Amino acid sequence: MKNRLIIIGSFLSIVGFSSCDRLLEVTPPNETLAEDALKTPEDLQKMLNSCYDVLANSLNGRTQIFNELLGDNLNAPRNNDDFREIYNRSSNFFNNTVGSLYADYYIAVFRVNVMLAAFDQIPALSDAEENRMRAEGYFVRALSYFELVKLWAQPYGYSSGNGHPGIVIRSEATQNPLPRNTVEQVYNQIISDLEFAANNLPDNNGNYADKVAARALLAKVYFQMNRFDKVIENVDIVVNSGRFSLSDSLNRFNNTATQSEYIFTFISTSNNDNRARTFVDNYRSDNNATPQLTVTQEFYDLVNSSASDQRARFFTINNPGTENEAYVTTKFNQDFFSVPYLHLTELLMMRAEAYGELNINLDQARTDLNDIMER
C-alpha cells in the first residue's frame, strides 16, 4: 500500500507539471479579466458611470452625516455605536462605518485610474471622447480627494506650509501601501484635476459633471483654503452662466421646487434607486417617532426664535413631555429624493463671505445674503 501511494503520488506530480500552464490559463466562471473588460468606448463609459455610482452611494447621506456628527447641531445618536464613536470623536480601526466610507472613495479613485490607463488600448476611442472621459474622471477623483481630506486630515491652514499629514494620493490603479501626502500636496492635486476638468468638460453634460460643476467645486475647495479671490472668480463664472436661479423653497431636497438651483446632483428615480437612502434611514421622523438622528433643543430653539424664520416648519417635537421626547427634522420625510451636491445657495453664501473677508464689493455681498433670506 505504501508503494502504491508513492506511485500514485508520482503520477499526479507528472500530470500536474505537464498541465500546469494550461490549468493556469482557465478563466474562473463568472469572472471577467481586466484585459477583457475594457475593449470599446462603451466599456469605458460603463466604467465611468460606475465611478459616479460609488460617489452617489458615498454622498447619499453617509458623508453628510459624518460631518454633522462632528458639528454642534445633533444629539448623540440613539443606538448606532459606530455613529456614537464619530460623535464622541473616538472611532477606531474596527469602526466599519468609518472604514467603508473611506474605502468607497478610494474605489472611485481606483476605477478612474483604471479608466485613464485604458485609453491607449481602445483604438475606436475618439480624441473628443477621451478628453471628455478624462475630464469627468478628474472631476470624480478631485471630489473624492476633497471629501476624504476634509474628514481624515486637519484642515488647510492647520500648520505652516500645510505640511501636516493629509491623505494618500493615488495616480495609478494599484493597491500598494503608500504614505500619506501632505495637505498642501492633496489640495494642489485637487486643484490640478479640477482645472483640467473645468477647461475640458462639456458646457452641458446631462446628469454628469460639466464645466460649471467643476467651477462650483473649485469654489468650495478654494473656500476651504481661504483663497477668497479664487472663490469669487469661480462663483462668478457659475452665476454669470445664467443657468441657475434661487428657488422659492427652503428645502433643497424638494426636487420639484429647487431644481433651478441644482448645479451637480445625484439623481434618484424610485425607491429602488434612492440616492438618499442614508438620509431617509436616519432622519425620517413621520414613520419613526424617535429616529436615529435628532437635533438639539438649542438648535430647535434657535430656528424658532423668530416668528419670521420659515425654517422652523422643518422641525418639530415628537413625543413632547415624555422620556422619548425628540426634536426632529421633517426635511427627509420622503420615500426617495435626489441629493444636490453643488447648488446655488451655497455658492452665493460663500461669495458673500469672501467679499466680507476681503472687505470689497460689500453691496453685492449684502445682495447675495438678502436674496437668500428674503426668498
Side-chain angles (χ1 to χ4, degrees):
M1 181 65 71
K2 183 177 181 180
N3 290 338
R4 186 182 177 192
L5 286 174
I6 293 172
I7 293 171
I8 293 173
S10 299
F11 174 74
L12 290 176
S13 296
I14 295 170
V15 172
F17 283 122
S18 64
S19 60
C20 181
D21 290 342
R22 185 161 50 87
L23 287 173
L24 290 176
E25 291 174 0
V26 174
T27 302
N30 302 319
E31 297 291 337
T32 303
L33 298 179
E35 57 268 24
D36 295 329
L38 300 176
K39 289 186 172 181
T40 67
E42 292 74 23
D43 294 335
L44 286 175
Q45 185 62 53
K46 291 177 181 178
M47 171 67 81
L48 180 57
N49 290 350
S50 77
C51 298
Y52 283 106
D53 184 62
V54 175
L55 286 190
N57 291 333
S58 300
L59 286 153
N60 67 352
R62 294 164 72 199
T63 302
Q64 296 91 330
I65 285 173
F66 275 34
N67 284 282
E68 287 291 343
L69 288 170
L70 295 170
D72 300 320
N73 298 330
L74 296 183
N75 287 308
R78 289 281 174 181
N79 51 30
N80 186 312
D81 289 339
D82 283 1
F83 279 0
R84 280 181 172 271
E85 287 184 3
I86 299 170
Y87 180 84
N88 293 321
R89 285 123 170 115
S90 61
S91 58
N92 58 41
F93 177 82
F94 299 102
N95 188 317
N96 183 63
T97 301
V98 173
S100 62
L101 181 63
Y102 180 85
D104 280 352
Y105 278 117
Y106 275 109
I107 289 173
V109 171
F110 181 87
R111 291 180 181 179
V112 167
N113 289 335
V114 169
M115 180 189 70
L116 296 176
F119 286 153
D120 292 340
Q121 305 167 23
I122 315 295
L125 184 67
S126 69
D127 290 343
E129 286 178 309
E130 177 180 335
N131 202 51
R132 174 186 60 80
M133 290 184 185
R134 184 182 299 277
E136 288 189 63
Y138 282 5
F139 177 89
V140 169
R141 191 168 68 180
L143 191 159
S144 299
Y145 286 153
F146 183 52
E147 293 300 332
L148 283 166
V149 77
K150 285 193 297 175
L151 280 170
W152 277 276
Q154 294 290 350
Y156 195 91
Y158 177 76
S159 68
S160 176
N162 295 290
H164 54 288
I167 58 168
V168 175
I169 296 174
R170 291 189 173 275
S171 55
E172 296 180 356
T174 70
Q175 299 182 46
N176 298 330
L178 294 172
R180 294 167 68 177
N181 293 88
T182 68
V183 165
E184 179 74 11
Q185 290 170 329
V186 175
Y187 272 86
N188 286 343
Q189 181 66 54
I190 293 170
I191 291 170
S192 175
D193 280 356
L194 286 178
E195 286 289 358
F196 182 92
N199 290 324
N200 292 278
L201 282 168
D203 291 328
N204 293 282
N205 199 22
N207 293 332
Y208 303 104
D210 58 19
K211 286 183 181 294
V212 292
R215 289 295 173 192
L217 185 50
L218 267 170
K220 290 185 69 169
V221 172
Y222 282 124
F223 190 80
Q224 289 291 323
M225 302 170 69
N226 289 339
R227 293 285 305 278
F228 299 118
D229 56 331
K230 289 291 187 178
V231 173
I232 295 166
E233 175 186 321
N234 284 281
V235 171
D236 283 350
I237 293 173
V238 178
V239 171
N240 293 338
S241 72
R243 291 172 50 188
F244 311 101
S245 60
L246 288 175
S247 73
D248 293 330
S249 174
L250 299 182
N251 182 6
R252 69 177 180 276
F253 300 105
N254 181 346
N255 302 139
T256 302
T258 58
Q259 284 188 355
S260 65
E261 291 205 31
Y262 291 177
I263 299 167
F264 180 69
T265 308
F266 297 106
I267 304 296
S268 295
T269 59
S270 68
N271 199 36
N272 294 323
D273 180 32
N274 184 7
R275 300 307 185 169
R277 175 61 59 195
T278 304
F279 278 123
V280 175
D281 289 348
N282 290 282
Y283 282 112
R284 188 166 186 174
S285 57
D286 57 344
N287 61 2
N288 181 6
T290 55
Q292 186 67 236
L293 299 176
T294 60
V295 300
T296 64
Q297 182 178 350
E298 291 79 9
F299 183 82
Y300 177 85
D301 290 342
L302 176 64
V303 296
N304 282 276
S305 60
S306 171
S308 63
D309 193 334
Q310 297 299 310
R311 293 174 299 175
R313 75 179 76 167
F314 299 122
F315 300 92
T316 189
I317 307 175
N318 283 354
N319 307 315
T322 72
E323 63 178 9
N324 290 324
E325 182 176 88
Y327 296 87
V328 300
T329 180
T330 61
K331 277 187 175 183
F332 307 107
N333 293 350
Q334 308 171 62
D335 291 332
F336 65 91
F337 49 88
S338 298
V339 178
Y341 178 72
L342 300 167
H343 56 93
L344 185 60
T345 294
E346 180 181 37
L347 293 191
L348 293 181
M349 292 183 71
M350 288 192 300
R351 185 171 71 174
E353 183 167 341
Y355 281 139
E357 292 285 350
L358 297 175
N359 195 28
I360 61 172
N361 208 358
L362 299 184
D363 286 342
Q364 182 61 56
R366 280 187 284 269
T367 297
D368 288 344
L369 294 178
N370 287 334
D371 286 346
I372 292 169
M373 290 189 290
E374 291 172 3
R375 55 107 175 262

